[in-house]
Amino acid sequence: MNYRKIPDETIRRLPIYLRDLTGFSQQGYKNISSKELSGHLGINPWQIRKDFSCFGAFGTCGVGYDVDKLIQQIKKILKLDTIHKAALVGVGNLGSAVLAYPGFVMYGFDIVAAFDNDPKKIGKKINKITIEDVSKIPSLKNKDVRIGIITVPRQASQQTADALVSAGVTGILNFSPCRIKVPKKVKVITINIALDLARLPYYMPAR
Amino acid sequence: MNYRKIPDETIRRLPIYLRDLTGFSQQGYKNISSKELSGHLGINPWQIRKDFSCFGAFGTCGVGYDVDKLIQQIKKILKLDTIHKAALVGVGNLGSAVLAYPGFVMYGFDIVAAFDNDPKKIGKKINKITIEDVSKIPSLKNKDVRIGIITVPRQASQQTADALVSAGVTGILNFSPCRIKVPKKVKVITINIALDLARLPYYMPAR
DNA sequence: GCATGTGAAAATCTTCACAGCA
DNA sequence: TGCTGTGAAGATTTTCACATGC
């Protein structure tokens, strides 16, 4: 195998594999074939094999893949083999939902701080985290927090991003419905629910 | 121009264009060039022109595109030129956030019903919508609701999907962290926040 | 001059077919 | 026989270059 860069589309699929493989591991599976995985995920077996082949030969012919080895390898590729501390800004409806979201833990994320600018919310606790004033964002520098989650209204998103970047964050999960500008070093992934919903009618059958 | 199918990737970008064009329209812009749009969106000008060229020539050379015509055309392509009624199932943290989310209105979505299985929540009102028991989902048949939003825990997602499909829904926005099986006619778009977050460390610079 | 629209080239991603190995 | 791993073919998407029109 040539060592090529792993395709972005493969990277997009890796967390999906990881999620289901973790499930299989907990059920006691030792090995799993691309065909079995395919049935679960709705991804073609050859696509799965191609994806896995990007990072070396892990399967045993006639048997399948070693589930736990695969999990370790995917975690290593995605750099999910260490705990990542994250901070959330904007504890409104969405922010609260994200704070309570159980899905983060399994990938090794730990939300260690939450900020808001509403005096009524400051000091309150959600999930053992005390909400602090946004002016305290710079304190993240001392906490080795590299990931920021932005769940503030659109108008405040850019300044929030700026504050997070200044505090040393290099990865941002942005829930604001707009693009934010950051230095090249910083990676932003934007999640916009409305954009996904807006595609739905196009794919729905005509009545 | 050959009448080809519009590429899926173009469809994915159309809602983004629509969002920003709507903003420009409200600011009084009559025309806009691909270059101006490019600056806002972070998408290359030639990509933008290629996308727009899929559905006919709309631009004026030397001037740019007619903002309002473009908006109308994109809405037509995405079938967003009519109001779409939607129903939400699962009024927990995430469900409440989605109900309160302002982003849906601008694309013409109207959440007309919400369901939960928790007796404490039934009868409560959120955003003028009274929460009903999940057993009432079949009543959607009479309301011409074609879109379902699933924000229930993983275990309940498949049965929720089944109930929605039986009630006539043909498009589902699924927030559950698993795949749901539906008839081919039904389109599902799955949003999984954790999957997006899981990609972030890979793209972040090494410390 | 300026900005669109489009064929052609390049890059990327998916599908296939089959050799190779337990 | 059953399943992996991979080169090659096919499909899709992005980028480019430039002719065309106001």
Side-chain angles (χ1 to χ4, degrees):
Chain A
M1 248 287 303
N2 317 358
Y3 264 111
R4 273 204 328 142
K5 184 179 159 284
I6 298 177
D8 280 345
E9 290 302 313
T10 297
I11 294 295
R12 171 168 282 133
R13 283 186 292 267
L14 288 186
I16 304 176
Y17 296 137
L18 188 52
R19 180 190 68 195
D20 276 40
L21 286 169
T22 303
F24 278 112
S25 176
Q26 285 165 355
Q27 283 173 48
Y29 278 69
K30 278 297 180 194
N31 294 283
I32 192 160
S33 70
S34 55
K35 204 176 169 188
E36 281 175 284
L37 261 180
S38 174
H40 252 251
L41 298 165
I43 298 175
N44 296 331
W46 47 79
Q47 178 76 80
I48 293 174
R49 292 204 298 276
K50 192 78 157 185
D51 285 341
F52 290 173
S53 77
C54 286
F55 42 92
F58 268 81
T60 309
C61 293
V63 178
Y65 295 90
D66 180 316
V67 174
D68 289 323
K69 263 192 190 167
L70 210 43
I71 290 174
Q72 288 314 312
Q73 188 65 8
I74 293 176
K75 280 191 176 173
K76 196 175 158 193
I77 302 271
L78 293 175
K79 298 185 190 167
L80 295 178
D81 46 0
T82 55
I83 299 284
H84 291 273
K85 292 186 193 171
L88 181 141
V89 187
V91 194
N93 276 300
L94 186 57
S96 305
V98 171
L99 276 178
Y101 191 68
F104 294 153
V105 179
M106 76 165 286
Y107 293 109
F109 293 98
D110 185 14
I111 301 181
V112 297
F115 303 93
D116 204 293
N117 67 352
D118 182 348
K120 286 177 217 151
K121 290 178 185 163
I122 293 161
K124 275 194 182 175
K125 276 199 176 188
I126 295 190
N127 270 26
K128 298 178 189 165
I129 299 162
T130 305
I131 301 172
E132 299 171 73
D133 189 89
V134 286
S135 64
K136 302 280 175 57
I137 291 178
S139 71
L140 291 177
K141 266 185 192 153
N142 314 319
K143 291 189 185 168
D144 196 35
V145 170
R146 295 291 160 93
I147 291 178
I149 302 172
I150 299 181
T151 46
V152 302
R154 184 199 283 122
Q155 308 84 336
S157 57
Q158 183 62 54
Q159 70 196 68
T160 302
D162 294 342
L164 286 169
V165 170
S166 295
V169 158
T170 55
I172 292 178
L173 196 62
N174 173 37
F175 285 89
S176 294
C178 62
R179 196 165 71 106
I180 54 183
K181 287 173 188 169
V182 295
K184 279 177 205 149
K185 289 183 186 181
V186 180
K187 173 71 183 179
V188 178
I189 289 183
T190 298
I191 294 180
N192 190 326
I193 298 164
L195 293 186
D196 287 313
L197 182 60
R199 283 186 299 136
L200 200 44
Y202 174 83
Y203 290 105
M204 284 162 57
R207 60 177 67 190
Chain B
M1 250 286 303
N2 317 357
Y3 263 110
R4 272 204 330 141
K5 183 178 160 285
I6 298 176
D8 280 344
E9 290 301 312
T10 297
I11 294 295
R12 170 169 282 134
R13 285 186 292 267
L14 289 185
I16 304 176
Y17 295 138
L18 188 51
R19 180 191 66 196
D20 276 40
L21 287 168
T22 304
F24 279 112
S25 175
Q26 285 165 358
Q27 284 172 47
Y29 279 69
K30 278 298 181 193
N31 295 282
I32 192 160
S33 70
S34 56
K35 204 176 167 187
E36 281 175 284
L37 261 180
S38 173
H40 252 251
L41 298 166
I43 299 175
N44 295 331
W46 49 79
Q47 179 74 80
I48 293 174
R49 291 204 298 277
K50 192 77 156 186
D51 284 342
F52 290 173
S53 76
C54 286
F55 42 92
F58 267 81
T60 311
C61 293
V63 178
Y65 295 90
D66 180 316
V67 175
D68 289 324
K69 264 192 190 167
L70 210 42
I71 290 174
Q72 288 314 312
Q73 189 65 8
I74 293 176
K75 281 191 177 174
K76 197 175 157 192
I77 303 272
L78 292 176
K79 298 187 190 167
L80 295 178
D81 47 359
T82 56
I83 300 283
H84 291 272
K85 292 186 192 170
L88 181 141
V89 187
V91 194
N93 276 302
L94 187 57
S96 305
V98 171
L99 275 177
Y101 191 67
F104 293 154
V105 179
M106 77 164 287
Y107 293 109
F109 292 98
D110 186 15
I111 301 182
V112 298
F115 303 92
D116 205 294
N117 67 352
D118 181 348
K120 287 177 215 148
K121 291 179 185 163
I122 292 160
K124 275 195 182 174
K125 276 197 175 188
I126 294 190
N127 269 26
K128 296 177 189 167
I129 299 161
T130 304
I131 300 171
E132 300 171 74
D133 188 272
V134 287
S135 64
K136 301 281 175 56
I137 290 178
S139 71
L140 292 176
K141 266 184 191 153
N142 315 319
K143 291 190 185 167
D144 197 33
V145 171
R146 294 292 158 91
I147 290 178
I149 301 172
I150 298 181
T151 46
V152 301
R154 182 199 284 120
Q155 307 84 338
S157 56
Q158 182 63 55
Q159 70 196 66
T160 302
D162 294 343
L164 286 169
V165 170
S166 296
V169 158
T170 55
I172 291 177
L173 196 61
N174 174 37
F175 285 88
S176 294
C178 62
R179 197 165 70 107
I180 53 180
K181 286 173 187 169
V182 294
K184 278 177 207 152
K185 288 183 185 181
V186 180
K187 173 72 182 178
V188 178
I189 288 182
T190 298
I191 294 179
N192 192 326
I193 297 165
L195 293 186
D196 287 314
L197 181 60
R199 282 186 300 136
L200 199 44
Y202 174 82
Y203 290 105
M204 283 162 57
R207 62 177 65 190

